[in-house]
Structure formats: C-alpha cells, structure tokens
Amino acid sequence: MPKGKRKTKSGPKSRFESGATSDEDSLNDNASVISNISENAVNDEGGSDGIDESTDDLFEEKLIEAIDGISQKSSQGRAQCLDSVSVAFSKRYLPDFAVDRRYTITDGIERCLKKGRGTEQAAAAHLAMLLCIQMGAGDLSDLLSRDLIPVLSFVANDHSVSAHARAKCCNALGVLTFICNTDDFAVTMRNLQTIFSASYRKGDGTVPIISQDLAVLHSTALSAWTLLATVVPITSLPSLSDLGDLLDSAHLEVRMAAGEAIAVLIEQSRQYNSDEDDDNDDWEPSEELIQKLHQLSTDSHKYRAKKDRKMQRSSFRDILRYVEDDASPNVQIRFGQETLSLDTWCRKKQYDVFCQVLGSGMNLHLKENDLLREILDLGEKITDLNVAVSKQSKLERHLINAAAFKARSIIRAKNRDKRSAALSS
C-alpha cells in the first residue's frame, strides 16, 4: 500500500517565528528595562537598537550611541534617542556618566526644545529633568538650569506649541527650579501661575470651558507650582481664595491638583504659625472652602466616571480630614531594607513629583541617589555590607529555631512529669 503524504501543521506560526508581538507582550510589566516603550536607541541608518543591560560596557556603548543620535537630522529619530536616554537615566543611577557628557546632552536638549515640535519637545523636557536628577544639586546643575530654564519657560508659554509639550516644560521648570540654586524662583512661580490661572473663574463668576488637553496643562502647571510652594515661606504665597475657584473645574485633574495645593498651603501656614507663635489666620480655610471640600469628598454625580468619582472622593477625604482635624497623611513606602514615611503634605508632594518623573526606577533612585535621599530625609545610603551583616543566614535561622524548639521541649517535659505525678497520687 503506497504511503500517503505526511500531513504538516498549517496553524499560525508562533510569535517567535513570525516576529510579531501581541499587545499583551508589548505592555508586559516584566519586560526588559530598556526594550519596552520608546526604549530604543537609533542607529545611523535610522533603525533602532535596544540598549542592552547585560554588561555595563555594552550598556554604556548603546547609551553613548543614543546620545549621539540626538543630533541627527530625523525629527522622529531625535525623539526616539531622547526617550532612550531618558529610560536609561531612570533605570540606572549614573552621576559620573551624566557629568562627563553634560555639555553634549544639554546642547541636544536645548536644540530640540528650540527647533523641535510636539513629541520631540516633550521628550527633551523630560530628559532635562532626569539629567538634573542624575547630576544632583551643585554648581554643575546650577549652570544647567541657567541654560535650560529660559528656553523651557518660553516653550511653556508659547500657545502655538502643543499642550502636551507645554505641560512637560512646566513640569521640567518646577523640577529644575526646585533642585537648582537659581535666581528665577519667584519668576518661575509667577509664570506657572499665569498658565493655570486660565482655569480661574471669569470676571462674571462663570467657570471657563476648556479642552481636556488644556486641563492637563493647567493641572501640570499647578502641580509644578505646588512643588515649589513646599520650600517657599508662606508669607510670599497667595491666599486660598483663587485656588478655591479651581475646585469648581469640570476636569478631575484640575480639581485634584487644586486640592493638593490647598493642603500644602494650609500645612505651610500652620507650620509657620507654630514656629513663630503667631495666630495669623490669613491662610486658614473659609467656611465656603470647607464646604466645597466636603462636597467633593462625597461627590456621587452620575455624569462623572465611576473611577473618577472614586479617586476624587478618596483624595478629598484625606484633604478634608487634614483641614478639619489636622490629621496628616500617613503613607509608608517600602523599598529594599528601608521604609520611607510620607507624613506631611509637602513631603508627599515632593515624592509624587519625582515618582512621576522616574517611573519604575524610583525605588532604585531612593536607594542610591544622594539627591533624592537628601530631599526625602532618608540619611546615608545603606551599603550591601550593612545589609549582609543585618540579615541572618539560613543556617543561623535554623540553629536559632532548633535551640528554641529544644527549650520548649524541656519545659513541656517537666510539665508532663508533674501531671503524671499528680494523677498517680
């Protein structure tokens, strides 16, 4: 009997054979550090190569290629290179590397902010924050801020630029001004206030109608302004009345940012009054403001998304609890062998901003970055040697447990003997 043809499987090829990736793969949280979203360095031909973290030498080589690619002709290629360098700086702490190449990176950021558009400007502003965080506070960062803050301020106030890029520049203005010793502190706060004041009530008392993109811009500007307010004397800050108007905004982002700003200002004023033994009530909330906070903490309007209502109620309950009962936030962040306590609104705001900039690399920078440890009062870094000394080995734990078991057995045996003697008598 002649043999028939052997059947072959005609099913779809696996993703490894075809080279295709599903949406779940591309959004995998456990993916490689620099191989996910916009985490590729661009080569000379315009393609992209991931920055491999297998060895330090190869990692630095790919990172240098990405830095060189910031000056290429392709706008898309420049944006991809900016993103690649940003991801590398968020995932690793490389202060010496950043200092050695600060002129090249700063020059690339400045040119992308001036000549780029949209996505490229946003990527450049984000890299400016990460470069400053890598270099830390000091003379070199001060020079960086003097070069970039005027450009960032110009782009943030340019209405012809996309709202997304302007929002990134506002965020960068806040972070750079917060870290660096600059004379533009008050100027930056006024510029940021000019931007988010577009969400204040109009002269006739009506709430302005703005797009979602502008709402994100205004909330980001307000968030950056609040970050700077955490280190400014309360005497130089405005009253709460204008910020109270922002609680009536139709956009959740603006309401949430306004609530945080109000909590920070009240905390600053109470701390100032406590230090100065003063009973100044200029920054204490009015009954009308407390009523607004109460309404937002119990908001159940069906025209708002369920997720938005839940997030808003949770946030404003904490704010209202602090305003009425002086109950400070109590958030514990565990990383490695340490715990960060966020027990004030100012510290919580500072943590939230840096967490937003660094993303998933925040825990690494909390362990190693001297700047963040100083800002958040974490003290000296804990070395691997200290961890090794403080952590018991498996054998030590076994011996301790065995000794405890032996001691328990001896005590129980004595008790058994006493019970036996009692029963026999």
mmCIF file of all heavy atoms in Angstrom, residues 48-82:
data_model
loop_
_atom_site.group_PDB
_atom_site.id
_atom_site.type_symbol
_atom_site.label_atom_id
_atom_site.label_comp_id
_atom_site.label_asym_id
_atom_site.label_seq_id
_atom_site.Cartn_x
_atom_site.Cartn_y
_atom_site.Cartn_z
ATOM 1 N N SER A 48 16.436 51.078 14.903
ATOM 2 C CA SER A 48 16.539 51.189 16.350
ATOM 3 C C SER A 48 17.159 49.942 16.935
ATOM 4 O O SER A 48 16.866 48.841 16.510
ATOM 5 C CB SER A 48 15.156 51.428 16.970
ATOM 6 O OG SER A 48 14.303 50.354 16.701
ATOM 7 N N ASP A 49 18.018 50.133 17.910
ATOM 8 C CA ASP A 49 18.642 49.045 18.649
ATOM 9 C C ASP A 49 18.372 49.249 20.122
ATOM 10 O O ASP A 49 18.601 50.324 20.646
ATOM 11 C CB ASP A 49 20.166 49.030 18.412
ATOM 12 C CG ASP A 49 20.507 48.711 16.974
ATOM 13 O OD1 ASP A 49 19.851 47.852 16.376
ATOM 14 O OD2 ASP A 49 21.427 49.351 16.454
ATOM 15 N N GLY A 50 17.891 48.218 20.819
ATOM 16 C CA GLY A 50 17.636 48.333 22.251
ATOM 17 C C GLY A 50 18.933 48.471 23.015
ATOM 18 O O GLY A 50 19.960 47.922 22.633
ATOM 19 N N ILE A 51 18.882 49.215 24.116
ATOM 20 C CA ILE A 51 20.055 49.365 24.973
ATOM 21 C C ILE A 51 20.133 48.140 25.863
ATOM 22 O O ILE A 51 19.312 47.960 26.753
ATOM 23 C CB ILE A 51 19.967 50.649 25.813
ATOM 24 C CG1 ILE A 51 19.929 51.863 24.893
ATOM 25 C CG2 ILE A 51 21.124 50.758 26.774
ATOM 26 C CD1 ILE A 51 19.842 53.168 25.632
ATOM 27 N N ASP A 52 21.093 47.264 25.597
ATOM 28 C CA ASP A 52 21.223 46.016 26.324
ATOM 29 C C ASP A 52 21.862 46.256 27.679
ATOM 30 O O ASP A 52 22.882 46.929 27.778
ATOM 31 C CB ASP A 52 22.079 45.036 25.501
ATOM 32 C CG ASP A 52 22.043 43.632 26.079
ATOM 33 O OD1 ASP A 52 21.365 43.448 27.104
ATOM 34 O OD2 ASP A 52 22.699 42.745 25.508
ATOM 35 N N GLU A 53 21.265 45.664 28.709
ATOM 36 C CA GLU A 53 21.783 45.850 30.057
ATOM 37 C C GLU A 53 22.595 44.647 30.533
ATOM 38 O O GLU A 53 22.896 44.518 31.700
ATOM 39 C CB GLU A 53 20.633 46.080 31.043
ATOM 40 C CG GLU A 53 19.983 47.415 30.874
ATOM 41 C CD GLU A 53 19.080 47.731 32.030
ATOM 42 O OE1 GLU A 53 17.993 47.180 32.075
ATOM 43 O OE2 GLU A 53 19.482 48.532 32.890
ATOM 44 N N SER A 54 22.944 43.713 29.613
ATOM 45 C CA SER A 54 23.635 42.505 30.040
ATOM 46 C C SER A 54 24.999 42.816 30.627
ATOM 47 O O SER A 54 25.419 42.198 31.586
ATOM 48 C CB SER A 54 23.767 41.545 28.857
ATOM 49 O OG SER A 54 24.423 42.199 27.775
ATOM 50 N N THR A 55 25.716 43.775 30.071
ATOM 51 C CA THR A 55 27.010 44.180 30.613
ATOM 52 C C THR A 55 27.078 45.691 30.673
ATOM 53 O O THR A 55 26.455 46.384 29.869
ATOM 54 C CB THR A 55 28.160 43.650 29.736
ATOM 55 O OG1 THR A 55 28.072 44.255 28.436
ATOM 56 C CG2 THR A 55 28.092 42.136 29.594
ATOM 57 N N ASP A 56 27.856 46.185 31.618
ATOM 58 C CA ASP A 56 27.971 47.635 31.775
ATOM 59 C C ASP A 56 28.611 48.283 30.555
ATOM 60 O O ASP A 56 28.207 49.365 30.131
ATOM 61 C CB ASP A 56 28.800 47.954 33.023
ATOM 62 C CG ASP A 56 28.048 47.625 34.303
ATOM 63 O OD1 ASP A 56 26.806 47.538 34.240
ATOM 64 O OD2 ASP A 56 28.702 47.450 35.350
ATOM 65 N N ASP A 57 29.626 47.607 29.984
ATOM 66 C CA ASP A 57 30.311 48.175 28.822
ATOM 67 C C ASP A 57 29.362 48.301 27.639
ATOM 68 O O ASP A 57 29.337 49.335 26.954
ATOM 69 C CB ASP A 57 31.512 47.304 28.440
ATOM 70 C CG ASP A 57 32.617 47.368 29.486
ATOM 71 O OD1 ASP A 57 32.627 48.341 30.264
ATOM 72 O OD2 ASP A 57 33.467 46.454 29.518
ATOM 73 N N LEU A 58 28.589 47.253 27.386
ATOM 74 C CA LEU A 58 27.651 47.287 26.264
ATOM 75 C C LEU A 58 26.544 48.310 26.521
ATOM 76 O O LEU A 58 26.113 49.019 25.606
ATOM 77 C CB LEU A 58 27.044 45.902 26.047
ATOM 78 C CG LEU A 58 26.110 45.739 24.841
ATOM 79 C CD1 LEU A 58 26.831 46.127 23.553
ATOM 80 C CD2 LEU A 58 25.586 44.319 24.753
ATOM 81 N N PHE A 59 26.095 48.398 27.766
ATOM 82 C CA PHE A 59 25.060 49.369 28.116
ATOM 83 C C PHE A 59 25.545 50.789 27.841
ATOM 84 O O PHE A 59 24.846 51.590 27.219
ATOM 85 C CB PHE A 59 24.697 49.201 29.595
ATOM 86 C CG PHE A 59 23.696 50.209 30.091
ATOM 87 C CD1 PHE A 59 22.337 50.008 29.916
ATOM 88 C CD2 PHE A 59 24.111 51.364 30.739
ATOM 89 C CE1 PHE A 59 21.420 50.933 30.377
ATOM 90 C CE2 PHE A 59 23.200 52.292 31.195
ATOM 91 C CZ PHE A 59 21.853 52.075 31.020
ATOM 92 N N GLU A 60 26.741 51.121 28.299
ATOM 93 C CA GLU A 60 27.274 52.468 28.086
ATOM 94 C C GLU A 60 27.517 52.746 26.608
ATOM 95 O O GLU A 60 27.310 53.865 26.135
ATOM 96 C CB GLU A 60 28.567 52.651 28.885
ATOM 97 C CG GLU A 60 28.344 52.796 30.380
ATOM 98 C CD GLU A 60 29.548 53.365 31.095
ATOM 99 O OE1 GLU A 60 30.531 53.735 30.406
ATOM 100 O OE2 GLU A 60 29.523 53.450 32.341
ATOM 101 N N GLU A 61 27.935 51.725 25.876
ATOM 102 C CA GLU A 61 28.168 51.909 24.443
ATOM 103 C C GLU A 61 26.871 52.263 23.725
ATOM 104 O O GLU A 61 26.826 53.183 22.898
ATOM 105 C CB GLU A 61 28.757 50.618 23.873
ATOM 106 C CG GLU A 61 29.064 50.705 22.374
ATOM 107 C CD GLU A 61 29.605 49.394 21.824
ATOM 108 O OE1 GLU A 61 30.077 48.558 22.637
ATOM 109 O OE2 GLU A 61 29.557 49.208 20.595
ATOM 110 N N LYS A 62 25.793 51.544 24.040
ATOM 111 C CA LYS A 62 24.499 51.834 23.427
ATOM 112 C C LYS A 62 23.975 53.201 23.880
ATOM 113 O O LYS A 62 23.354 53.927 23.098
ATOM 114 C CB LYS A 62 23.489 50.741 23.804
ATOM 115 C CG LYS A 62 23.785 49.384 23.177
ATOM 116 C CD LYS A 62 23.564 49.421 21.687
ATOM 117 C CE LYS A 62 23.745 48.049 21.072
ATOM 118 N NZ LYS A 62 23.521 48.083 19.602
ATOM 119 N N LEU A 63 24.214 53.532 25.136
ATOM 120 C CA LEU A 63 23.751 54.823 25.646
ATOM 121 C C LEU A 63 24.482 55.973 24.957
ATOM 122 O O LEU A 63 23.868 56.998 24.617
ATOM 123 C CB LEU A 63 23.962 54.879 27.153
ATOM 124 C CG LEU A 63 23.502 56.150 27.885
ATOM 125 C CD1 LEU A 63 22.055 56.486 27.555
ATOM 126 C CD2 LEU A 63 23.673 55.983 29.389
ATOM 127 N N ILE A 64 25.767 55.822 24.726
ATOM 128 C CA ILE A 64 26.534 56.853 24.006
ATOM 129 C C ILE A 64 26.005 57.004 22.583
ATOM 130 O O ILE A 64 25.900 58.125 22.055
ATOM 131 C CB ILE A 64 28.030 56.497 24.016
ATOM 132 C CG1 ILE A 64 28.598 56.622 25.437
ATOM 133 C CG2 ILE A 64 28.810 57.411 23.074
ATOM 134 C CD1 ILE A 64 30.015 56.102 25.573
ATOM 135 N N GLU A 65 25.657 55.877 21.931
ATOM 136 C CA GLU A 65 25.086 55.944 20.577
ATOM 137 C C GLU A 65 23.773 56.727 20.592
ATOM 138 O O GLU A 65 23.498 57.527 19.679
ATOM 139 C CB GLU A 65 24.849 54.537 20.045
ATOM 140 C CG GLU A 65 26.126 53.762 19.697
ATOM 141 C CD GLU A 65 25.817 52.380 19.177
ATOM 142 O OE1 GLU A 65 24.625 52.079 18.954
ATOM 143 O OE2 GLU A 65 26.761 51.585 18.994
ATOM 144 N N ALA A 66 22.959 56.492 21.619
ATOM 145 C CA ALA A 66 21.687 57.214 21.718
ATOM 146 C C ALA A 66 21.918 58.701 21.929
ATOM 147 O O ALA A 66 21.220 59.541 21.350
ATOM 148 C CB ALA A 66 20.848 56.629 22.856
ATOM 149 N N ILE A 67 22.903 59.052 22.748
ATOM 150 C CA ILE A 67 23.213 60.468 22.980
ATOM 151 C C ILE A 67 23.690 61.125 21.685
ATOM 152 O O ILE A 67 23.288 62.248 21.359
ATOM 153 C CB ILE A 67 24.280 60.599 24.088
ATOM 154 C CG1 ILE A 67 23.697 60.162 25.430
ATOM 155 C CG2 ILE A 67 24.780 62.046 24.188
ATOM 156 C CD1 ILE A 67 24.712 60.081 26.546
ATOM 157 N N ASP A 68 24.538 60.433 20.934
ATOM 158 C CA ASP A 68 24.994 60.970 19.647
ATOM 159 C C ASP A 68 23.832 61.119 18.667
ATOM 160 O O ASP A 68 23.834 62.019 17.818
ATOM 161 C CB ASP A 68 26.067 60.062 19.049
ATOM 162 C CG ASP A 68 27.353 60.063 19.866
ATOM 163 O OD1 ASP A 68 27.560 61.040 20.617
ATOM 164 O OD2 ASP A 68 28.142 59.101 19.773
ATOM 165 N N GLY A 69 22.829 60.230 18.790
ATOM 166 C CA GLY A 69 21.688 60.282 17.871
ATOM 167 C C GLY A 69 20.763 61.457 18.101
ATOM 168 O O GLY A 69 19.900 61.750 17.265
ATOM 169 N N ILE A 70 20.919 62.157 19.227
ATOM 170 C CA ILE A 70 20.064 63.319 19.490
ATOM 171 C C ILE A 70 20.300 64.427 18.474
ATOM 172 O O ILE A 70 19.423 65.261 18.231
ATOM 173 C CB ILE A 70 20.322 63.836 20.930
ATOM 174 C CG1 ILE A 70 19.898 62.778 21.948
ATOM 175 C CG2 ILE A 70 19.574 65.137 21.196
ATOM 176 C CD1 ILE A 70 20.200 63.147 23.396
ATOM 177 N N SER A 71 21.468 64.434 17.852
ATOM 178 C CA SER A 71 21.795 65.492 16.889
ATOM 179 C C SER A 71 21.545 65.086 15.443
ATOM 180 O O SER A 71 21.920 65.820 14.534
ATOM 181 C CB SER A 71 23.270 65.891 17.050
ATOM 182 O OG SER A 71 24.121 64.772 16.811
ATOM 183 N N GLN A 72 20.901 63.946 15.196
ATOM 184 C CA GLN A 72 20.660 63.509 13.812
ATOM 185 C C GLN A 72 19.601 64.373 13.133
ATOM 186 O O GLN A 72 18.922 65.181 13.781
ATOM 187 C CB GLN A 72 20.236 62.042 13.790
ATOM 188 C CG GLN A 72 18.922 61.773 14.494
ATOM 189 C CD GLN A 72 18.541 60.315 14.454
ATOM 190 O OE1 GLN A 72 18.049 59.827 13.436
ATOM 191 N NE2 GLN A 72 18.789 59.610 15.560
ATOM 192 N N LYS A 73 19.434 64.203 11.824
ATOM 193 C CA LYS A 73 18.527 65.057 11.051
ATOM 194 C C LYS A 73 17.064 64.687 11.250
ATOM 195 O O LYS A 73 16.195 65.551 11.200
ATOM 196 C CB LYS A 73 18.874 64.972 9.565
ATOM 197 C CG LYS A 73 20.224 65.603 9.208
ATOM 198 C CD LYS A 73 20.468 65.547 7.710
ATOM 199 C CE LYS A 73 21.787 66.220 7.348
ATOM 200 N NZ LYS A 73 22.055 66.181 5.888
ATOM 201 N N SER A 74 16.767 63.401 11.442
ATOM 202 C CA SER A 74 15.384 62.949 11.537
ATOM 203 C C SER A 74 14.760 63.394 12.857
ATOM 204 O O SER A 74 15.297 63.112 13.940
ATOM 205 C CB SER A 74 15.328 61.418 11.433
ATOM 206 O OG SER A 74 14.050 60.933 11.797
ATOM 207 N N SER A 75 13.611 64.057 12.786
ATOM 208 C CA SER A 75 12.922 64.504 13.994
ATOM 209 C C SER A 75 12.435 63.314 14.808
ATOM 210 O O SER A 75 12.558 63.293 16.038
ATOM 211 C CB SER A 75 11.737 65.397 13.616
ATOM 212 O OG SER A 75 10.988 65.746 14.754
ATOM 213 N N GLN A 76 11.893 62.311 14.120
ATOM 214 C CA GLN A 76 11.436 61.112 14.815
ATOM 215 C C GLN A 76 12.606 60.386 15.466
ATOM 216 O O GLN A 76 12.503 59.897 16.596
ATOM 217 C CB GLN A 76 10.720 60.179 13.842
ATOM 218 C CG GLN A 76 10.171 58.924 14.499
ATOM 219 C CD GLN A 76 9.471 58.016 13.517
ATOM 220 O OE1 GLN A 76 9.434 58.293 12.315
ATOM 221 N NE2 GLN A 76 8.913 56.924 14.002
ATOM 222 N N GLY A 77 13.727 60.330 14.768
ATOM 223 C CA GLY A 77 14.914 59.687 15.322
ATOM 224 C C GLY A 77 15.435 60.417 16.555
ATOM 225 O O GLY A 77 15.838 59.785 17.539
ATOM 226 N N ARG A 78 15.414 61.739 16.519
ATOM 227 C CA ARG A 78 15.860 62.514 17.689
ATOM 228 C C ARG A 78 14.964 62.233 18.896
ATOM 229 O O ARG A 78 15.446 62.063 20.026
ATOM 230 C CB ARG A 78 15.869 64.010 17.370
ATOM 231 C CG ARG A 78 16.931 64.438 16.378
ATOM 232 C CD ARG A 78 17.096 65.954 16.383
ATOM 233 N NE ARG A 78 15.886 66.658 16.020
ATOM 234 C CZ ARG A 78 15.538 67.009 14.783
ATOM 235 N NH1 ARG A 78 16.344 66.693 13.768
ATOM 236 N NH2 ARG A 78 14.426 67.677 14.554
ATOM 237 N N ALA A 79 13.647 62.179 18.656
ATOM 238 C CA ALA A 79 12.707 61.918 19.749
ATOM 239 C C ALA A 79 12.936 60.529 20.342
ATOM 240 O O ALA A 79 12.901 60.346 21.564
ATOM 241 C CB ALA A 79 11.268 62.051 19.247
ATOM 242 N N GLN A 80 13.204 59.535 19.487
ATOM 243 C CA GLN A 80 13.456 58.182 19.969
ATOM 244 C C GLN A 80 14.747 58.118 20.792
ATOM 245 O O GLN A 80 14.816 57.428 21.811
ATOM 246 C CB GLN A 80 13.517 57.208 18.804
ATOM 247 C CG GLN A 80 12.168 56.945 18.155
ATOM 248 C CD GLN A 80 12.267 56.033 16.948
ATOM 249 O OE1 GLN A 80 13.350 55.838 16.397
ATOM 250 N NE2 GLN A 80 11.147 55.468 16.545
ATOM 251 N N CYS A 81 15.762 58.839 20.345
ATOM 252 C CA CYS A 81 17.020 58.867 21.097
ATOM 253 C C CYS A 81 16.846 59.561 22.443
ATOM 254 O O CYS A 81 17.396 59.124 23.456
ATOM 255 C CB CYS A 81 18.106 59.562 20.271
ATOM 256 S SG CYS A 81 18.745 58.559 18.925
ATOM 257 N N LEU A 82 16.086 60.652 22.469
ATOM 258 C CA LEU A 82 15.810 61.332 23.733
ATOM 259 C C LEU A 82 15.102 60.394 24.707
ATOM 260 O O LEU A 82 15.427 60.337 25.892
ATOM 261 C CB LEU A 82 14.959 62.570 23.483
ATOM 262 C CG LEU A 82 15.636 63.752 22.772
ATOM 263 C CD1 LEU A 82 14.589 64.749 22.278
ATOM 264 C CD2 LEU A 82 16.622 64.450 23.700
#
